[in-house]
Amino acid sequence: METSGGGQETHSASTAYAKYLPLCNALVSGNWETANGLFQNEEDCEAIISIERETALHVAVQSGRANVFVGKLVGMMRPQALALKDKSGITALHNCAIVGNTEAARIMLQKNPDLLYETTDGDGRLAVTIAAMCCQKKTLVYLINESKPNVHNTHYGIDLFMETVASEFFGE
């Protein structure tokens, strides 16, 4: 079975991801006991668990209800693993910006502050710009406050300014 867009995902690949279904269910429900029992080592925490090439962290952040889980998961991961991207080029920090999960962003940036200004999505945008695009004001303000000042003097700063104006947060 091929995916739209000419992808090469096969039925066997989909079946391989099926073994992660209990983990995905635990992530979405915030059930740490179940999820923790499914992790055998650090590599399991960083494994690709969906056909969208998401990690457990991507899924947990999107749920928005599992920040205790996010904290425990981040604690088990290597700092550079927090920059893993899904098939659209989105990191878990970008997911924080999309859904407005400020607490998860804080947890991730405590472990790897470089995520904020060194990791772009598939379209070359920083998470702070995505927060503005998605009208996630609380997350936007947090990410701006955590940014290095020199980032705002680049094309990233121009993108951020334009998206902040478009979101109607400018001047508030």
Side-chain angles (χ1 to χ4, degrees):
M1 150 174 55
E2 286 197 16
T3 60
S4 61
Q8 296 298 316
E9 288 290 344
T10 62
H11 179 67
S12 62
S14 297
T15 304
Y17 294 124
K19 72 180 182 181
Y20 293 111
L21 188 57
L23 176 59
C24 289
N25 289 334
L27 291 166
V28 171
S29 67
N31 186 338
W32 174 251
E33 291 79 28
T34 299
N36 191 37
L38 298 171
F39 295 129
Q40 301 300 314
N41 54 42
E42 183 178 87
E43 289 79 28
D44 287 344
C45 296
E46 301 169 6
I48 303 303
I49 66 169
S50 78
I51 202 161
E52 297 298 318
R53 301 198 45 80
E54 297 168 306
T55 65
L57 186 59
H58 282 92
V59 176
V61 164
Q62 289 174 42
S63 77
R65 299 181 303 152
N67 287 333
V68 169
F69 185 104
V70 168
K72 291 179 181 183
L73 185 58
V74 166
M76 296 170 68
M77 296 174 72
R78 297 171 297 133
Q80 63 270 28
L82 302 181
L84 291 172
K85 296 181 179 185
D86 68 11
K87 82 176 189 184
S88 298
I90 294 174
T91 68
L93 184 62
H94 286 88
N95 280 343
C96 292
I98 291 166
V99 302
N101 193 337
T102 308
E103 178 61 18
R106 184 191 62 73
I107 292 166
M108 292 171 57
L109 291 175
Q110 283 178 339
K111 182 145 189 175
N112 185 351
D114 294 340
L115 287 174
L116 190 54
Y117 49 88
E118 290 184 359
T119 308
T120 59
D121 69 2
D123 293 322
R125 295 176 298 218
L126 296 172
V128 66
T129 303
I130 299 298
M133 288 175 63
C134 294
C135 299
Q136 299 293 351
K137 186 175 183 179
K138 182 178 176 186
T139 304
L140 172 63
V141 169
Y142 171 74
L143 295 176
I144 287 172
N145 288 334
E146 293 299 310
S147 297
K148 288 185 175 180
N150 63 340
V151 169
H152 304 299
N153 296 329
T154 67
H155 73 281
Y156 297 122
I158 294 168
D159 290 344
L160 174 59
F161 175 76
M162 292 175 61
E163 292 299 337
T164 303
V165 170
S167 68
E168 299 182 3
F169 293 151
F170 187 78
E172 283 189 16

